[in-house]
Amino acid sequence: MKRYQSRALMAGALCLALTAQAGALSVSGVAGLGASAAIDVTLDTLEREGINAVPPVQDAQNIGFIGLEKTVRANNLTIQSFHKTLAGIANTDLDAQFFMQEMQYQAQLNQYKTEYDAYDRYVQALQALGSSDGAVQAQLQLAMTLRTLAQKGMESMQMTIDGLDDAQEAAQDQLDETYAETKAQLDNTANQIVVGAQTAYLGIISTREGIETLDRNLAALDRQIAAVEKQVELGMAAPLTLENLQQSRRSVVAQRETLELVQQTAENQLSLLCGNTAGTTVKPTVAPTVTSKQLSDMNYTTDLAQAMENSYSIWSAQNAVRKASNDYEDDVTSTVDAYEAAKLTLENTEESVTNSFRQMYLDVQDKKRLLDEAQAAYDMEEKNFAVDQLQYDRGMISQMDYLTAQDDLAAKQDAVTTAEHDLFTAYNTYDWARRGYMSGV
């Protein structure tokens, strides 16, 4: 429809150009054609040149929530770059580096030895002369000084070579520490990317259900508009009432178009998180739900212990304490202030993780309670609808009343679905905290 409207507008503009004495658009290429054919040819040419062009149709892939994390971890480009970064650290060849250093140091040692031998021979030759001549004695002193410098160079270089094993061991420890820190940081960031993909997935599901709700609202408004139109014809309703309903419908249509755009944007973003190109979009299949077993398996005490053990925030604070302690022992810092500050940060982090985890646990319980209430309300509405169904079958209520009862039942079902989504989101957040990722802490 939009294409046809656009072509109609462009056709009008083209007709004006065709009748202008000095139009900016040349029509020599469509001479001899009818007006309609000329317009179509020109519009097609404009579209091929990118004017009024629309984005190409994307390939669509379906994905479920269960396989989402695996897909993101396997294909996300950022996570793949993390793997390459870690591989680069792990593949660092310290043996080759220190072998080359030893070869260089050995060459310098040999140079010092050569210089020492030369100066030593010169000293011995001067001493053999036994001359008391001032010039000879000056040369002897210079030669002895240079020999001493060469000897110190040999001793220093030999100490450096002897210390290479310890230096390589220290370098390996530093490399291992760098790998562990980098891996922890990148793993936490990868978790954040996966959580972002899951959040986008759930958001798309909610948006899709919002569109379905608006569709029901539009159907209900259409029924009301049709009824009021008849009432206006009969003088039983004011035209303003009809105009208000029509305006309400336009507002719902606008909301629906906005949600469609939001859904499309979120699907494209989710597709990129899954490692796809811009030519592919991803569409979630079904909404995940929490099982009764998952809820019954929740144990605050054991889950909290697991969360504390796996927490990246706590690990990071512990790592800072360890570094500050090592620095103090090695006299890198002149006071214990940095060490004490790191310990306080660790204590505060542990308290924050504990408090946040407790709130997450209670949130799951609260969301389960709200789901039970929504389900109870739906069950009652379902009983009421059964009565309405029977009355409608017997002709005791109108079709409009019956359809309204259907909408009421659907609204209660929407409330149940929303409560299920909220419960799953709360549980998923709790589960991620148990695995060590906790946003904002």
Side-chain angles (χ1 to χ4, degrees):
M1 176 62 71
K2 291 181 178 179
R3 171 181 170 86
Y4 295 127
Q5 291 174 344
S6 176
R7 293 179 70 92
L9 292 174
M10 293 183 68
L14 182 59
C15 287
L16 293 176
L18 289 173
T19 58
Q21 292 183 353
L25 181 63
S26 173
V27 295
S28 58
V30 292
L33 295 176
S36 177
I39 290 171
D40 287 338
V41 170
T42 304
L43 290 175
D44 289 338
T45 301
L46 292 175
E47 290 186 357
R48 284 197 301 271
E49 294 175 354
I51 301 175
N52 196 40
V54 297
V57 177
Q58 295 173 295
D59 294 330
Q61 294 179 350
N62 293 330
I63 190 168
F65 190 87
I66 294 178
L68 179 60
E69 179 174 352
K70 181 178 179 181
T71 299
V72 173
R73 291 192 184 277
N75 301 323
N76 181 269
L77 297 181
T78 301
I79 295 178
Q80 291 303 306
S81 71
F82 292 168
H83 295 325
K84 293 180 180 179
T85 298
L86 289 174
I89 298 175
N91 293 332
T92 301
D93 191 352
L94 291 179
D95 289 337
Q97 293 180 15
F98 276 87
F99 176 77
M100 292 300 298
Q101 287 187 22
E102 184 174 3
M103 294 294 292
Q104 294 172 0
Y105 293 154
Q106 190 65 51
Q108 294 180 31
L109 177 62
N110 293 337
Q111 180 65 30
Y112 283 128
K113 286 182 177 179
T114 299
E115 293 176 0
Y116 177 85
D117 291 341
Y119 293 135
D120 187 59
R121 289 194 299 269
Y122 188 43
V123 168
Q124 293 178 13
L126 291 175
Q127 289 175 339
L129 292 176
S131 174
S132 60
D133 182 81
V136 174
Q137 291 299 316
Q139 291 182 23
L140 177 60
Q141 290 298 321
L142 177 59
M144 292 176 66
T145 300
L146 293 175
R147 184 181 64 178
T148 299
L149 291 175
Q151 182 179 5
K152 290 182 178 179
M154 283 194 309
E155 293 172 352
S156 176
M157 192 55 60
Q158 188 61 58
M159 289 180 60
T160 300
I161 293 175
D162 293 341
L164 280 178
D165 288 342
D166 291 339
Q168 183 173 354
E169 183 177 348
Q172 185 62 57
D173 291 342
Q174 181 62 43
L175 184 64
D176 293 342
E177 180 178 324
T178 299
Y179 180 87
E181 291 181 353
T182 304
K183 185 177 186 305
Q185 293 169 359
L186 297 185
D187 284 348
N188 187 68
T189 305
N191 288 340
Q192 184 178 6
I193 292 173
V194 174
V195 171
Q198 291 181 344
T199 301
Y201 184 103
L202 297 175
I204 293 169
I205 293 290
S206 296
T207 302
R208 182 188 302 169
E209 292 169 351
I211 292 174
E212 294 174 356
T213 298
L214 291 179
D215 286 340
R216 287 200 305 273
N217 293 342
L218 285 174
L221 282 171
D222 287 340
R223 293 196 301 270
Q224 294 178 22
I225 289 173
V228 172
E229 283 178 339
K230 180 61 67 176
Q231 292 173 355
V232 170
E233 291 179 4
L234 298 175
M236 299 172 60
L240 182 59
T241 303
L242 178 60
E243 292 178 8
N244 286 330
L245 285 174
Q246 291 172 337
Q247 179 57 44
S248 297
R249 190 185 191 285
R250 286 191 292 270
S251 297
V252 173
V253 169
Q255 294 174 26
R256 192 185 190 285
E257 291 177 351
T258 299
L259 286 185
E260 285 183 333
L261 180 58
V262 169
Q263 178 181 340
Q264 181 181 0
T265 301
E267 289 174 347
N268 290 338
Q269 291 174 343
L270 178 59
S271 180
L272 293 177
L273 290 173
C274 291
N276 297 320
T277 64
T280 301
T281 187
V282 168
K283 296 186 177 296
T285 53
V286 296
T289 55
V290 180
T291 66
S292 299
K293 185 177 186 307
Q294 287 175 319
L295 294 175
S296 62
D297 285 346
M298 290 175 59
N299 182 290
Y300 177 76
T301 302
T302 57
D303 290 349
L304 174 60
Q306 185 178 358
M308 299 282 283
E309 180 181 357
N310 295 333
S311 171
Y312 169 77
S313 299
I314 293 178
W315 175 88
S316 182
Q318 290 172 338
N319 193 49
V321 170
R322 180 186 60 79
K323 283 186 173 182
S325 176
N326 292 341
D327 288 345
Y328 178 70
E329 291 175 359
D330 296 338
D331 201 26
V332 176
T333 56
S334 58
T335 67
V336 298
D337 291 344
Y339 176 60
E340 294 298 332
K343 289 199 299 182
L344 289 174
T345 299
L346 173 59
E347 294 176 6
N348 181 67
T349 301
E350 290 174 340
E351 289 296 327
S352 296
V353 169
T354 301
N355 183 64
S356 295
F357 191 81
R358 180 176 183 274
Q359 294 302 318
M360 293 176 188
Y361 180 86
L362 295 176
D363 190 44
V364 174
Q365 311 306 313
D366 185 56
K367 293 302 189 294
K368 179 61 171 64
R369 177 185 61 80
L370 293 175
L371 173 59
D372 291 341
E373 292 178 0
Q375 185 64 53
Y378 173 79
D379 293 341
M380 179 59 66
E381 190 66 31
E382 193 174 32
K383 293 178 181 178
N384 293 332
F385 180 74
V387 175
D388 293 329
Q389 176 77 57
L390 182 61
Q391 291 179 336
Y392 177 70
D393 292 340
R394 294 179 176 178
M396 299 172 62
I397 61 175
S398 66
Q399 183 182 30
M400 180 169 290
D401 290 338
Y402 173 71
L403 293 176
T404 300
Q406 278 187 331
D407 290 341
D408 292 340
L409 181 63
K412 288 296 188 294
Q413 178 61 63
D414 287 346
V416 172
T417 301
T418 299
E420 288 176 339
H421 294 342
D422 292 344
L423 174 59
F424 180 84
T425 298
Y427 177 83
N428 195 48
T429 301
Y430 176 87
D431 186 55
W432 271 109
R434 190 165 47 187
R435 294 170 60 180
Y437 176 79
M438 188 179 296
S439 177
V441 178

